[in-house]
Amino acid sequence: MQVEDNGPEINVTMSREEFFLVVSLMSEALETADEVDFETRTGASTEEVRALLAGIPDLPLNSRN
């Protein structure tokens, strides 16, 4: 994974495997965590994380592009 700090933006480059792992972990955290505990631990509300996940484009699991 590579992270570039471009001032107001941060660009993250990661492998497909890392991408799907991050999405899976975020989804699992939403399903298994108490809402208050989640916000205390992550600093983000479950609604913020759901909105972030909803904004991530779907990628085919086997695409090489």
Side-chain angles (χ1 to χ4, degrees):
M1 182 182 315
Q2 181 180 355
V3 179
E4 295 177 33
D5 186 350
N6 295 322
E9 292 184 350
I10 295 174
N11 297 321
V12 179
T13 304
M14 63 180 73
S15 69
R16 295 185 76 71
E17 291 81 14
E18 289 170 324
F19 173 82
F20 288 114
L21 177 60
V22 168
V23 170
S24 295
L25 290 171
M26 290 171 63
S27 297
E28 184 67 21
L30 286 173
E31 296 299 320
T32 59
D34 171 83
E35 194 164 326
V36 174
D37 186 48
F38 182 89
E39 190 165 350
T40 300
R41 291 174 180 264
T42 65
S45 70
T46 55
E47 291 82 21
E48 290 172 308
V49 176
R50 282 189 180 94
L52 179 64
L53 282 170
I56 295 174
D58 289 334
L59 297 176
L61 291 173
N62 60 358
S63 176
R64 302 260 183 214
N65 296 336

